Amino acid sequence: MKFTLEYPSDVPDAHPSVFTGAALAQVSRRAEISGFEAVCLADHPAPSAKWFRNGGHDTFEPVVALAFAAAVTTSLKLMTNLLVLPFRNPYLATKELTTLDTLSGGRLIAGVGAGYLRSEFAALGVDFSRRSELFDEAIAAICSIWRDPSNPVVGADFAATGEMRLQRPVQSPHPPLWIGGNSAAARRRVTRFGSGWCPVIADRGTSDAIRTPAIDSIEAFGAAVKALGDQLKRAGRSLSEIDIQVEAPAVDLSDAASVALWHHDVGRLREAGATSLCVHADARSLAAADEFVDGYGQLIARTVESDVPNGS
């Protein structure tokens, strides 16, 4: 099991102390030392006040912030979680992601999604009703640009008119592409283009709010993983090729019973198909975030140890 730390700005109660470059550097270095595989940030370039009042959160621009984190770490992977592709021209998105992969020495995980905030689409001048179409187009375009940078790509609203001259990413044939969403369409995208899947295990109300079908239990998650495996098999691929990341169970690190329940739930998620867990840090202050990351490192060490077969 691998663990991704969601940078603590990405929760509703985040303290102002985490919104500095020094804090980002400090938390990223601590995550790397503590055994986290990656650090991630969400993507909300134009969030509304209404969304904030209903539990929304602030966030840095993810590619810029992850480049900052890359400069102070050496092995920590850098994940967009999730970059909303319909907001962006595919050539601009590819340039952002390729630059991050290059500057980090090949540490990018490109987590991508369709987006769900209608007001944010309006603020950015993107037709919300086209988000699924634009998402499909962007995924295909980015993969094409990465694999064959010289070949011009044409879409509904953009067109490269001749041979292109673009830098390839460090990772070959391209950085890992992890696709968000619970729908059959999301699994179809993973099957065709992805090396990772980021579904959301949540109740129907939360799922409706982020405009994705509900996966409301570990059992339902396991069934969805099986469905993905069947789709991959029909496409000549294997589930073993795919990383699957879900939200980590909440835990009170000071409570032995809570820690024991965490280990139980993590075991169930692993058995159901999860290979990576996204962890929400304590964001009440920078000091609280540091303490949480240090403490969580002990859970990671125990979990990784339990993953190693006896006698290895």
Side-chain angles (χ1 to χ4, degrees), residues 131-210:
R131 70 191 185 106
S132 181
E133 165 203 341
L134 293 172
F135 189 33
D136 280 331
E137 179 182 75
I139 293 171
I142 289 170
C143 288
S144 176
I145 295 166
W146 271 334
R147 289 178 181 276
D148 187 2
S150 65
N151 186 44
V153 176
V154 176
D157 304 310
F158 69 96
T161 57
E163 183 179 0
M164 307 298 287
R165 179 64 177 85
L166 299 167
Q167 184 178 13
R168 292 180 181 273
V170 171
Q171 298 181 82
S172 181
H174 56 70
L177 189 66
W178 293 17
I179 295 169
N182 293 356
S183 66
R187 294 193 298 271
R188 169 181 55 77
R189 293 167 182 133
V190 174
T191 299
R192 184 175 178 191
F193 297 107
S195 54
W197 182 36
C198 300
V200 179
I201 302 175
D203 59 40
R204 188 165 298 280
T206 300
S207 300
D208 287 347
I210 61 174

Side-chain angles (χ1 to χ4, degrees), residues 28-282:
S28 298
R29 285 193 295 261
R30 225 175 190 98
E32 183 172 59
I33 293 167
S34 297
F36 283 91
E37 178 82 3
V39 64
C40 71
L41 284 101
D43 182 27
H44 287 292
S48 68
K50 178 181 178 182
W51 184 63
F52 271 74
R53 288 193 293 268
N54 285 280
H57 61 85
D58 204 349
T59 182
F60 290 127
E61 199 291 320
V63 175
V64 173
L66 290 169
F68 196 98
V72 297
T73 56
T74 57
S75 61
L76 189 70
K77 293 184 180 177
L78 311 148
M79 181 181 184
T80 54
N81 187 39
L82 298 162
L83 194 73
V84 180
L85 292 186
F87 290 166
R88 295 168 172 84
N89 174 288
Y91 273 105
L92 286 175
T94 307
K95 175 63 74 171
E96 289 178 320
L97 295 170
T98 299
T99 299
L100 178 55
D101 195 55
T102 301
L103 295 180
S104 67
R107 289 188 276 149
L108 168 66
I109 299 173
V112 298
Y116 60 88
L117 287 175
R118 188 183 295 272
S119 61
E120 200 161 27
F121 276 78
L124 296 170
V126 181
D127 184 350
F128 182 81
S129 68
R130 296 180 61 207
R131 70 191 185 106
S132 181
E133 165 203 341
L134 293 172
F135 189 33
D136 280 331
E137 179 182 75
I139 293 171
I142 289 170
C143 288
S144 176
I145 295 166
W146 271 334
R147 289 178 181 276
D148 187 2
S150 65
N151 186 44
V153 176
V154 176
D157 304 310
F158 69 96
T161 57
E163 183 179 0
M164 307 298 287
R165 179 64 177 85
L166 299 167
Q167 184 178 13
R168 292 180 181 273
V170 171
Q171 298 181 82
S172 181
H174 56 70
L177 189 66
W178 293 17
I179 295 169
N182 293 356
S183 66
R187 294 193 298 271
R188 169 181 55 77
R189 293 167 182 133
V190 174
T191 299
R192 184 175 178 191
F193 297 107
S195 54
W197 182 36
C198 300
V200 179
I201 302 175
D203 59 40
R204 188 165 298 280
T206 300
S207 300
D208 287 347
I210 61 174
R211 303 179 191 273
T212 197
I215 296 177
D216 59 4
S217 67
I218 294 177
E219 291 75 19
F221 166 62
V225 172
K226 183 180 183 304
L228 174 61
D230 291 342
Q231 287 178 255
L232 288 162
K233 187 175 181 179
R234 289 194 294 271
R237 301 184 65 192
S238 168
L239 194 60
S240 64
E241 303 172 27
I242 305 297
D243 279 296
I244 301 176
Q245 179 168 284
V246 296
E247 186 173 319
V251 62
D252 180 349
L253 296 173
S254 66
D255 182 346
S258 178
V259 170
L261 179 60
W262 180 92
H263 279 287
H264 175 264
D265 289 344
V266 167
R268 291 182 65 207
L269 287 167
R270 183 197 293 114
E271 289 175 4
T275 66
S276 180
L277 298 178
C278 184
V279 178
H280 298 294
D282 188 336

Side-chain angles (χ1 to χ4, degrees), residues 283-299:
R284 291 175 296 173
S285 68
L286 178 56
D290 282 343
E291 183 178 355
F292 177 89
V293 171
D294 287 346
Y296 213 94
Q298 298 176 27
L299 297 183

